[in-house]
Amino acid sequence: MTRGDIDIIRRAGARRLRLAVDPVSGAVRLTLPKRAALGPALEWAESQAPWIAAQRARLPQPRPFAPGASFPFGDSRLTIDWAADRPRRVAREGDRLIVGGPAVGLAARVTAWLKREALAVLTAETHEFAARLGVSVAKVAVGDPRSRWGSCAASGAIRYSWRLILAPARVRRATVAHEVAHRVHMHHGPAFHALVAELVGRDAETARAWLRREGAGLHWLGRDSVG
């Protein structure tokens, strides 16, 4: 662990040094008061190398999209079935993902296929819930944010993490219902939660619990290293 491996965050409200390992990225973050001296703070952080190593050892292992790799896909699992002499096109056949072309770029092709599937499924489910609530949605898009599973703008545009396609269907649908409900209530008050429960029942609560417990692991799918 060197100083270059530590992300520095200064916060006016911080009263003491705080060291943390991001469960999604594995990045090491040092938070310190706005006026604290940086040198001694970095020396202290470097002295915590054994603790940092222990925290990183507890993180999920990177699981790259490689030949033979298996990963969750909604309520099922897919296994990458690759052969160089096949076309580059990615196609699903049952529980197999048939992929061809050069090994270089294989992970990118699989990821692109997953993003397309995520956009199609999430768009359909967004419009399903929007119709039930009688609201409009301006646009549906997917990205790969590290801190949010979905967001709803005042303009009516909704954006999701494409990695929701890897989560159980009930978790994905509850997340969609959550974002669509913001088209009625742009807050997280009792009326908002009641509306989400009206759409998906207890799945709203269990989905939040599942994402808190298992969500970070979804970010390690398709990765081949820490950081």
Side-chain angles (χ1 to χ4, degrees):
M1 174 61 58
T2 65
R3 298 188 178 195
D5 298 323
I6 302 174
D7 294 335
I8 309 299
I9 301 173
R10 288 189 179 274
R11 289 205 176 129
R15 295 186 176 181
R16 59 184 178 83
L17 301 181
R18 183 174 181 272
L19 198 61
V21 175
D22 190 319
V24 170
S25 66
V28 179
R29 294 193 175 98
L30 172 63
T31 302
L32 62 160
K34 191 172 182 179
R35 298 184 181 280
L38 181 58
L42 284 171
E43 289 180 7
W44 172 77
E46 290 170 344
S47 74
Q48 302 303 307
W51 179 86
I52 293 170
Q55 295 301 306
R56 281 186 157 178
R58 295 169 59 185
L59 295 174
Q61 292 299 305
R63 295 164 61 187
F65 292 142
S70 176
F71 55 88
F73 183 78
D75 293 335
S76 60
R77 292 190 69 83
L78 296 179
T79 298
I80 298 175
D81 186 340
W82 170 82
D85 58 354
R86 294 182 186 141
R88 292 171 177 260
R89 177 175 173 270
V90 181
R92 181 182 180 182
E93 293 184 7
D95 61 357
R96 295 185 304 151
L97 206 57
I98 308 300
V99 194
V104 175
L106 169 63
R109 295 195 294 279
V110 171
T111 301
W113 182 86
L114 287 168
K115 289 180 178 179
R116 290 193 297 270
E117 290 293 306
L119 180 59
V121 170
L122 291 164
T123 297
E125 292 177 345
T126 296
H127 289 301
E128 172 195 338
F129 286 121
R132 287 172 60 180
L133 294 182
V135 297
S136 63
V137 173
K139 181 182 179 181
V140 179
V142 297
D144 195 14
R146 292 187 170 184
S147 60
R148 305 181 74 175
W149 295 104
S151 62
C152 178
S155 65
I158 295 180
R159 188 173 182 86
Y160 301 102
S161 166
W162 71 262
R163 294 177 185 275
L164 283 170
I165 200 67
L166 307 172
R170 64 175 178 81
V171 174
R172 183 189 69 240
R173 287 180 59 82
T175 304
V176 173
H178 180 109
E179 299 307 331
V180 175
H182 278 310
R183 295 293 296 131
V184 179
H185 302 293
M186 287 296 286
H187 57 73
H188 289 105
F192 167 80
H193 289 297
L195 185 58
V196 177
E198 181 181 320
L199 292 173
V200 292
R202 290 198 65 251
D203 281 350
E205 179 182 345
T206 61
R208 288 195 299 270
W210 191 94
L211 287 171
R212 285 194 297 270
R213 185 179 66 251
E214 308 287 348
L218 299 184
H219 289 275
W220 294 81
L221 295 171
R223 290 173 55 183
D224 57 12
S225 63
V226 176

